[in-house]
């Protein structure tokens, strides 16, 4: 068993920024970064699934998402952060020091203990479950209009989904695209009335009702969608050069059920303008506690906040 002053669970921009700050505060953090289990599930968070990032300050020419994460990781280790490639299988925050298990969760003894824990396990976009999604993400397929809309200037694109996210993404995308087709599996939207009215009033938005996506076409970039009418069974191709999947997000919080307070969608609840959770000494940052902004820069900023909160808490609890 190894004991640490700070353990950070998760290695996206939030976790690695927390690692840089706590390492520079001489707290020798341990980052449990996760473990690759598929192409779409690997340490480093959602930026590992993107190509070019053009809105992270400091990179006037843009930077590739995986490169940005590799650089953040190197910056953290340079100041003494230790990183292990493993998934946390169980936590016990009921007493201090906090207990963390990697590997077999049935083991009586935890593998690690910590004076303070920073949770930065992120969130994931719900996907359709098509094989093509893994191949084409970052190559015309995206889950973030704010991040990637700019790349679709004057193109015809599609958004899949019928909730507020889909309509918000579609509205934003009409700033760039020449036409946005919302592909929805029913003939009624889940989104709020105000968002619906905005979308209906937008001349660049069209709806494809009662339609599901059977496949995303294109080998190295999106060339179209194979769609099917759920009422008539008719199959056809929708010619688009981009597709945004907006069918919901899930925070990665299963591990913390019954220990950390969550909202009804499963996001961790943090204090107003702070990274504190309901357990003193456990902090949360990044998308695991943010369903509003969901940007690399906001995640990194909240990682900085969590590191400073953790450092101050350690100082005050050692008095
Ligand atoms: P959501 O409300 O759960 O909507 C998901 C949409 O995706 C639904 O229309 C659903 O269809 C569809 N969908 C789900 N799985 C699908 C699948 N496998 N294939 C095809 N379609 C599928 O998710 P959300 O839009 O991300 O919103 C989440 C929460 O955030 C909501 O409470 C929302 O109000 C809030 N939000 C608010 C704003 C805002 O106020 N500006 C913006 C974004 C999100 P069905 O309708 O048929 O189930």
């Amino acid at each position: 068993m190894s004991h640490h002053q700070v353990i950070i669970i998760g290695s996206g921009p939030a976790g690695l920024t927390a690692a840089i700050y706590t390492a520079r505060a001489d707290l020798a953090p341990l980052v449990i970064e996760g473990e690759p289990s598929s192409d779409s599930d690997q340490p480093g968070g959602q930026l590992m699934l993107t190509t070019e990032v053009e809105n992270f300050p400091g990179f006037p020419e843009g930077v590739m998402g995986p490169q940005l994460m590799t650089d953040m990781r190197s910056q953290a280790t340079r100041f003494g952060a230790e990183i292990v490639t493993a998934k946390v299988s169980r936590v016990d925050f009921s007493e201090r020091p906090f207990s963390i298990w990697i590997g077999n969760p049935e083991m009586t003894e935890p593998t690690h203990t910590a004076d303070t824990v920073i949770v930065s396990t992120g969130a994931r976009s719900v996907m359709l479950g098509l094989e093509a999604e893994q191949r084409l993400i970052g190559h015309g397929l995206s889950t973030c209009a704010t991040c990637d809309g700019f790349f679709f200037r004057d193109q015809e694109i599609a958004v899949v989904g019928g909730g507020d996210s889909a309509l918000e993404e579609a509205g934003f995308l009409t700033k760039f695209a020449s036409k946005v087709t919302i592909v929805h599996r029913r003939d009624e939207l889940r989104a709020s009335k105000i968002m619906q009215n905005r979308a209906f009033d937008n001349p660049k938005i069209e709806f494809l009702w009662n339609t599901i996506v059977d496949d995303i076409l294109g080998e190295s970039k999106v060339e179209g969608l194979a769609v099917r009418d759920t009422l008539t069974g008719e199959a056809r191709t929708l010619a688009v050069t981009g597709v945004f999947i907006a069918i919901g997000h899930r925070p990665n919080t299963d591990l913390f059920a019954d220990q950390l307070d969550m909202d009804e969608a499963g996001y961790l609840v943090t204090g107003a303008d702070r990274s504190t959770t309901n357990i003193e000494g456990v902090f949360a940052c990044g998308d695991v506690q943010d369903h509003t902004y969901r940007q690399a820069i906001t995640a990194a900023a909240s990682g900085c906040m969590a590191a400073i909160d953790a450092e101050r808490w350690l100082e005050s609890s050692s008095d």
Side-chain angles (χ1 to χ4, degrees):
M1 190 199 306
S2 65
H3 180 78
H4 302 263
Q5 287 185 89
V6 181
I7 290 185
I8 298 166
I9 308 177
S11 61
L16 291 178
T17 303
I20 293 166
Y21 272 76
T22 49
R24 291 188 79 257
D26 261 349
L27 294 171
L30 175 74
V31 181
I32 304 178
E33 68 169 351
E35 201 173 17
S37 55
S38 72
D39 284 352
S40 59
D41 177 18
Q42 46 184 308
Q46 297 174 80
L47 280 189
M48 297 301 287
L49 306 176
T50 54
T51 46
E52 196 151 17
V53 179
E54 289 190 329
N55 55 8
F56 201 90
F59 297 92
E61 305 303 325
V63 57
M64 298 304 275
Q67 185 62 49
L68 182 60
M69 297 322 299
T70 305
D71 289 346
M72 283 192 197
R73 199 176 183 279
S74 309
Q75 198 173 347
T77 52
R78 176 183 157 209
F79 294 111
E82 187 190 338
I83 299 187
V84 293
T85 307
K87 271 191 161 67
V88 171
S89 53
R90 177 181 159 199
V91 297
D92 182 353
F93 294 155
S94 62
E95 56 183 8
R96 293 204 292 265
F98 302 118
S99 296
I100 291 176
W101 283 255
I102 58 179
N104 181 1
E106 306 297 327
M107 283 183 306
T108 327
E109 291 294 313
T111 49
H112 299 80
T113 56
D115 296 325
T116 181
V117 174
I118 296 177
V119 176
S120 49
T121 46
R124 59 191 184 282
S125 298
V126 179
M127 302 301 280
L128 295 168
L130 301 170
E131 203 188 297
E133 289 174 313
Q134 301 222 355
R135 181 174 77 244
L136 294 169
I137 193 153
H139 302 281
L141 185 149
S142 171
T143 55
C144 174
T146 314
C147 318
D148 298 329
F150 188 79
F151 301 119
F152 295 91
R153 200 171 281 283
D154 298 326
Q155 299 182 35
E156 296 197 1
I157 60 178
V159 171
V160 183
D164 280 326
S165 292
L167 268 50
E168 190 170 81
E169 301 272 89
F172 180 79
L173 288 166
T174 57
K175 290 182 189 192
F176 309 101
S178 53
K179 178 174 153 190
V180 178
T181 304
I182 296 179
V183 181
H184 183 38
R185 63 184 178 184
R186 293 189 292 140
D187 63 356
E188 201 183 319
L189 294 167
R190 183 175 294 280
S192 53
K193 275 278 171 283
I194 184 165
M195 301 288 283
Q196 295 197 21
N197 291 338
R198 260 183 227 157
F200 292 143
D201 287 346
N202 189 323
K204 281 188 173 179
I205 295 182
E206 278 185 18
F207 286 87
L208 205 50
W209 302 106
N210 298 312
T211 301
I212 55 170
V213 177
D214 281 333
D215 204 0
I216 304 168
L217 309 173
E219 269 315 303
S220 55
K221 61 182 175 42
V222 170
E223 289 169 2
L225 297 183
V227 295
R228 187 159 37 94
D229 187 305
T230 57
L231 302 180
T232 63
E234 188 198 344
R236 68 179 183 96
T237 299
L238 180 69
V240 286
T241 48
V243 56
F244 287 75
I245 309 294
I247 59 174
H249 286 86
R250 298 274 176 282
N252 299 317
T253 50
D254 291 354
L255 203 55
F256 313 107
D258 303 324
Q259 300 195 58
L260 296 181
D261 286 350
M262 299 175 193
D263 66 14
E264 65 286 353
Y267 287 85
L268 298 185
V269 175
T270 46
D273 299 325
R274 303 190 68 82
S275 63
T276 46
T277 67
N278 55 305
I279 296 185
E280 250 193 68
V282 177
F283 302 88
C285 53
D287 285 11
V288 74
Q289 51 86 60
D290 167 26
H291 46 78
T292 308
Y293 302 106
R294 297 200 285 242
Q295 299 300 300
I297 190 68
T298 49
S302 76
C304 164
M305 290 163 63
I308 292 174
D309 287 344
E311 185 188 352
R312 291 188 180 154
W313 182 81
L314 281 169
E315 262 169 29
S316 66
S317 61
S318 66
D319 288 344

